Structure formats: structure tokens, C-alpha cells
Amino acid sequence: MTNTTPGRFITVEGTEGVGKTSNIDFIRRQLEAQGIEVMCSREPGGTPLAEQIRELLLAKRDEAVDETAELLLMFAARAQHLNQKIKPALAQGAWVLCDRFTDATYAYQGGGRDLSVDTIAKLEDLVQGSLRPDATFILDIDVETGLKRASARSEADRFESEQLEFFEKVRSVYLARAKAEPQRYHIIDAGQELAAVQAQIAEVLEGWTYKPRQ
Ligand code: Z5A
């Protein structure tokens, strides 16, 4: 099951503070240098409605957020984003570069919150049909370093306020998924300085073919 549209669907994942934002811009510039049209987006979010759902999800609140409600809100945002923005771009042959996607749901809601992987897989099929990313970069870093970077940058949101153990579980799901499907996932050591991280990404990009899919 994968993407059969003319475009390519690339996702970037990782725990907190791994440098997704910094590196997505690098990937975009590398792809554009190959003459590729790139559309960058993020999850949760990417359309006005999905961005509103993002605000609901990230806000710290007194009321405990039910884990299944959180899961369904992630997929509600994804359905909107996918149908309004991602699929039309892919159909036109653009490369979609997305900051997080369903791997984050397996990692955060499946790993961090301990929700059923089967339930997540059912929602994935419902919302995405057979569409899956062509390639996924997992920026990997030890959890403590990532959290230090994230806290130096901005105030913690509802997810960033979780305990270390939560993020260790998130990280282990990412690494397990990458191990199970090595042809799709590229693990990048994000603990190095930015230039060294980008050199690893550039090496992966050099191995790709940029011909349109027939
Ligand atoms: N979530 C979920 O639970 N389930 C889902 O299905 C989805 C998401 C899709 C929002 O995501 C939350 O939603 C997220 C999971 C949950 N949890 N949280 N929080 P988000 O992607 O918007 O939030 P984030 O993970 O916190 O991303 P971020 O804050 O944008 O971080 P980042 O993009 O990975 O890092 P950055 O901003 O590029 O870098 C962080 C800082 O480190 C910054 O000051 C950089 O200058 C610095 N940095 C970056 N690289 C380096 C290197 N190599 N060396 C030194 N310093 C560096």
C-alpha cells in the first residue's frame, strides 16, 4: 500500500526538539534545486480547520483530555488536511513535505498513550485508504537533549509537558517502525550539529530518482 499519484509524499518525524523545522527547510531547498515543485505542510494542521483542531490539541487545559478523543481529533485534522491539501497537490505532481503524519499517531497515541495499534491502523485505513508516505525521515536524538532544545526555544505545550518516560516510549515506537520497514524510513542522527545532520539527509536525497511516476 502506498502512494500511486504523480507526486511524492515525504514525511519528517521525531520526538521533541529534534530539528524537524530546521531540516524541512533544508530538504525543500534541495528538492527545489532539482526543479521539483514542493508543498510544505504540517500535522496536526495544514488547513484552517485542521489548524483550529491543532490549537485545541496543543492547548494546556484543566480538563483531562480523553486519549480516544485526542486520537480522533488527530485523525479528524488529518482527513481534512489530506483531502483538502495533500491529495490535490500530489495529483498535480507536487512533492508534499509534511512535518509529522500518521507515524506520529503510532508513536504518541500508540506508544506514549498506550492506545491500541489495531485501532490506529483501522483509522489510518479509514482516513487514508491505501495512501502512505513514499519516504519518512526519522530525526533521532536522545530524549533529554531534545527536550532541552525544545524548552530553550519556547514554552512547553500540552504534549511537551509530558514526562521523560512518555517520550522514551514515543522514540522506541519510531525506531521499531523504522526497523520493520527500512526501505521507507531513514533514521538520521539528529544529535549532531546542524551541518552534520543535513549532510546525512543530503546523502539520502542523492540516492533518489526525480523522474515523474508514470
Ligand atoms: N502529535 C501527536 O501526538 N500525534 C500525531 O498524530 C501528530 C502530532 C501529527 C505538535 O507537533 C505535537 O503534536 C507534537 C506531537 C503531537 N508534540 N509536541 N510537542 P509539532 O511537530 O508541531 O511539535 P514539536 O515536536 O514540538 O516540533 P517543534 O517544536 O516544531 O520542534 P522541531 O521542529 O523538531 O525542532 P526545531 O524547532 O527545528 O528545533 C528546536 C530547537 O533546536 C531550535 O531552537 C533549533 O534552532 C534547535 N536545533 C535544531 N537542530 C539543532 C542541532 N542539530 N543542533 C543544535 N540545535 C538545534
Side-chain angles (χ1 to χ4, degrees), residues 124-181:
E124 181 180 35
D125 288 345
L126 173 75
V127 168
Q128 296 167 221
S130 63
L131 182 68
R132 302 289 181 275
D134 293 284
T136 297
F137 288 95
I138 295 186
L139 304 184
D140 183 54
I141 197 174
D142 72 274
V143 165
E144 282 184 64
T145 308
L147 285 172
K148 263 186 215 141
R149 280 190 196 168
S151 65
R153 187 214 43 202
S154 58
E155 200 190 320
D157 62 33
R158 193 171 62 82
F159 287 96
E160 288 165 342
S161 308
E162 291 291 343
Q163 301 299 307
L164 214 59
E165 190 197 347
F166 175 89
F167 296 108
E168 295 288 5
K169 288 195 274 182
V170 170
R171 182 185 185 201
S172 71
V173 171
Y174 275 134
L175 295 178
R177 288 177 69 75
K179 198 172 169 194
E181 214 185 320

Side-chain angles (χ1 to χ4, degrees), residues 13-18 20 43-44 67 70-71 74 78 99-115 120 139 143 147 157-162 166-174 177:
E13 299 274 0
T15 50
E16 311 321 286
V18 287
K20 291 180 287 90
E43 290 220 343
E67 290 160 353
E70 180 181 285
L71 175 68
M74 289 294 175
R78 184 160 300 137
D99 185 339
R100 297 194 186 280
F101 195 64
T102 306
D103 284 299
T105 313
Y106 282 102
Y108 283 79
Q109 282 65 52
R113 306 272 190 241
D114 212 16
L115 289 179
I120 297 172
L139 304 184
V143 165
L147 285 172
D157 62 33
R158 193 171 62 82
F159 287 96
E160 288 165 342
S161 308
E162 291 291 343
F166 175 89
F167 296 108
E168 295 288 5
K169 288 195 274 182
V170 170
R171 182 185 185 201
S172 71
V173 171
Y174 275 134
R177 288 177 69 75

Side-chain angles (χ1 to χ4, degrees), residues 44-139:
T47 79
L49 173 57
E51 287 289 331
Q52 284 186 351
I53 298 173
R54 178 190 177 89
E55 280 175 31
L56 293 175
L57 280 160
L58 265 54
K60 284 197 209 166
R61 54 185 80 243
D62 295 334
E63 178 187 1
V65 177
D66 178 79
E67 290 160 353
T68 303
E70 180 181 285
L71 175 68
L72 293 172
L73 284 169
M74 289 294 175
F75 273 107
R78 184 160 300 137
Q80 186 70 10
H81 186 209
L82 201 56
N83 290 303
Q84 295 295 315
K85 199 167 165 186
I86 296 178
K87 282 186 184 168
L90 291 172
Q92 286 178 6
W95 286 42
V96 173
L97 189 51
C98 197
D99 185 339
R100 297 194 186 280
F101 195 64
T102 306
D103 284 299
T105 313
Y106 282 102
Y108 283 79
Q109 282 65 52
R113 306 272 190 241
D114 212 16
L115 289 179
S116 150
V117 172
D118 284 351
T119 305
I120 297 172
K122 281 187 187 125
L123 290 168
E124 181 180 35
D125 288 345
L126 173 75
V127 168
Q128 296 167 221
S130 63
L131 182 68
R132 302 289 181 275
D134 293 284
T136 297
F137 288 95
I138 295 186
L139 304 184

